[in-house]
Amino acid sequence: MKPNGLTILCCCFMVAGLAAVAQAAELPSGFRLEPIATGLDSPSDVAPAPDGRLFITELKTGDLVQVRHGEVAAAPLCHVDVETTGDAGLLGVAVHPKFAENGWVYLYYTDLTAGTNRVARFTVSGDECSDGATYLELGGSAPYVRNGGGIEFG
């Protein structure tokens, strides 16, 4: 099948649009992009801990991984069983403002069993993570729902 003029015109607009997006992604003078970790499976959020670690959520695995001095720990810090349809999964992480004292980390995720979005609090001690306690149940999720996921203290 031979492409018609409309198809070619649409492709030209798509290429022009992608070029504009690529140009808009250029960094300002004096800035540079540097990877903070490699080998992750679908990272979805990151939160710094006061001790210098970075906590990174992996959307589809349900793992909270920690990065220390640029190295990803061999084992996940925490794990939650997540629904992975559409936008569902492990969506967000927030470190409590008094983390140095209480070790609390909050995860926002779509629970595999209940199919609901929830926020749960975990206690991190060294390289260990306690079982989470549900802090907030947000109701049902559907694969076509935009779940979001950013959680912050402020």
Side-chain angles (χ1 to χ4, degrees):
M1 187 162 131
K2 191 175 183 180
N4 63 28
L6 181 59
T7 302
I8 293 171
L9 182 63
C10 286
C11 287
C12 289
F13 279 124
M14 286 176 55
V15 169
L18 289 174
V21 168
Q23 187 176 14
E26 289 181 22
L27 294 172
S29 177
F31 287 83
R32 66 176 189 252
L33 283 177
E34 288 188 27
I36 57 171
T38 59
L40 299 172
D41 182 26
S42 62
S44 54
D45 198 10
V46 62
D51 61 8
R53 289 184 286 179
L54 295 175
F55 297 137
I56 301 175
T57 57
E58 292 192 296
L59 181 69
K60 300 301 180 185
T61 66
D63 291 339
L64 178 68
V65 298
Q66 61 180 330
V67 176
R68 183 180 280 133
H69 307 296
E71 297 292 323
V72 178
L77 181 62
C78 298
H79 175 81
V80 290
D81 293 327
V82 294
E83 172 62 50
T84 60
T85 306
D87 286 346
L90 178 51
L91 301 158
V93 57
V95 174
H96 191 275
K98 294 185 178 180
F99 175 83
E101 298 166 27
N102 58 30
W104 292 346
V105 172
Y106 293 81
L107 299 179
Y108 171 50
Y109 64 100
T110 310
D111 181 69
L112 178 62
T113 304
T116 58
N117 291 323
R118 61 176 53 156
V119 175
R121 184 177 71 197
F122 295 80
T123 302
V124 173
S125 179
D127 292 335
E128 305 267 324
C129 184
S130 71
D131 290 336
T134 300
Y135 195 73
L136 179 65
E137 193 84 26
L138 299 170
S141 176
Y144 52 87
V145 173
R146 298 290 178 211
N147 288 313
I151 56 174
E152 298 287 333
F153 285 93

